[in-house]
Amino acid sequence: MKKPLVGALFAVLLLGAGVAPATAATGHDASSPAAVKEKVRPKAVNFAGTVALSNCSGSVVRTPNSQPGDPALVLSNGHCMETGFPGPGEVVFNQPSTRSFTLLNASGSGVGTLRASKIAYGTMTDTDISVYQLTRTYAQIESTYGIKALELNTAHPVQGTAITVVSGYWKRTYACNVDGFVYRLKEGEWTWKDSVRYTSACQTIGGTSGSPVIDNATGKVVAVNNTGNEDGQECTDNNPCEVDENGNVTVREGINYAQETYGIVPCIGAGSQFDLDRAGCALPKP
């Protein structure tokens, strides 16, 4: 994933960079009332709240119900975890970690180091995410650095939405639109459900794995960048393919993908604790 798994793996080996993974589909119309409502004045998208990992990108994130005193969370890809790629069906849950992250300000400068206390959740099954719990609270980070966490959107992304992929690793942004959704995105031995497909303008590279995908209108995180088809191959590492409800396979060389993040929100309870039995939580369980 370059933007997903394999691509990122090559980036780690060749560039010291990171991995990235894939997409999924369903038809959500940008002309719907909900979509029209979101077309308010766009917010300026910058690097504030993003982080650089040793091999990938990420961001400090919160849910709408997160409290200032809660331990802060960092979102990235499952294939970016220091423990290696989790196998199909594998879920990492509440595993100790001391991983460090470089926090960026609006201009992309590193302003400090954040440290994990654990991998709260990580998987490459159905989606490609890792969420780290930090040793500092949201309030402590804001007080020390003047930087607020990015908020996770609670609704499914909408086709046609203007988005920005913000890479803390490369300190680079990619602007495009949500082109559509993929029923199943298959790459090597991994399969992701309902992935986001970008329009061709988002030419993400290795190391952008884990970057937050931000809705330009709301400033909220709607997905996490994870993969792309590099060589036009079918369903191989670094070359995800799209599989529809009838099993038909489509290959889109040069097109990149992300995993939706709204489904993470119902799984996070008080104190930033993951509870996979909470109402509405559909993330894979260990």
Side-chain angles (χ1 to χ4, degrees):
M1 338 281 155
K2 172 184 61 189
K3 292 97 217 179
L5 304 153
V6 178
L9 177 58
F10 282 112
V12 174
L13 298 175
L14 301 178
L15 302 174
V19 191
T23 62
T26 55
H28 290 255
D29 189 351
S31 64
S32 67
V36 174
K37 251 169 130 183
E38 288 298 314
K39 291 181 180 177
V40 291
R41 188 193 314 184
K43 300 178 184 299
V45 175
N46 56 46
F47 294 95
T50 63
V51 299
L53 286 67
S54 58
N55 62 336
C56 287
S57 301
S59 57
V60 181
V61 296
R62 61 182 293 272
T63 73
N65 294 323
S66 294
Q67 299 301 307
D70 291 342
L73 300 174
V74 162
L75 170 68
S76 188
N77 283 148
H79 73 259
C80 292
M81 291 190 293
E82 69 271 32
T83 52
F85 293 177
E90 182 180 354
V91 173
V92 177
F93 189 67
N94 287 336
Q95 180 173 306
S97 173
T98 57
R99 192 165 195 180
S100 61
F101 312 88
T102 301
L103 179 66
L104 305 185
N105 62 15
S107 64
S109 297
V111 295
T113 300
L114 305 177
R115 192 167 297 280
S117 61
K118 66 180 180 181
I119 302 173
Y121 186 88
T123 192
M124 286 178 64
T125 297
D126 295 350
T127 185
D128 183 9
I129 61 170
S130 60
V131 182
Y132 289 82
Q133 183 172 303
L134 303 183
T135 58
R136 298 197 208 184
T137 66
Y138 294 111
Q140 289 171 332
I141 292 173
E142 186 172 355
S143 174
T144 302
Y145 304 110
I147 294 174
K148 295 182 178 181
L150 301 176
E151 185 175 332
L152 295 172
N153 196 27
T154 59
H156 192 287
V158 176
Q159 186 175 12
T161 298
I163 54 174
T164 302
V165 181
V166 186
S167 171
Y169 185 91
W170 291 115
K171 300 176 177 61
R172 179 177 173 183
T173 62
Y174 303 80
C176 60
N177 293 75
V178 174
D179 185 52
F181 304 94
V182 182
Y183 177 70
R184 298 289 183 266
L185 189 68
K186 181 173 175 55
E187 180 172 340
E189 56 184 334
W190 293 275
T191 299
W192 302 297
K193 297 179 179 179
D194 195 21
S195 307
V196 175
R197 181 199 309 119
Y198 305 143
T199 52
S200 59
C202 277
Q203 290 296 303
T204 49
I205 60 175
T208 63
S209 289
S211 299
V213 179
I214 298 175
D215 181 330
N216 294 352
T218 66
K220 296 180 181 180
V221 178
V222 295
V224 58
N225 181 66
N226 84 310
T227 197
N229 187 293
E230 299 179 3
D231 308 309
Q233 295 179 25
E234 183 177 306
C235 312
T236 63
D237 290 346
N238 300 317
N239 291 283
C241 63
E242 301 182 9
V243 183
D244 68 15
E245 295 90 333
N246 298 315
N248 299 312
V249 175
T250 301
V251 173
R252 301 178 191 268
E253 183 176 359
I255 294 299
N256 300 302
Y257 304 89
Q259 299 305 306
E260 297 163 0
T261 51
Y262 75 99
I264 299 173
V265 176
C267 304
I268 300 175
S272 299
Q273 297 301 308
F274 268 76
D275 180 356
L276 303 181
D277 293 319
R278 293 187 85 228
C281 179
L283 289 177
K285 296 181 179 181

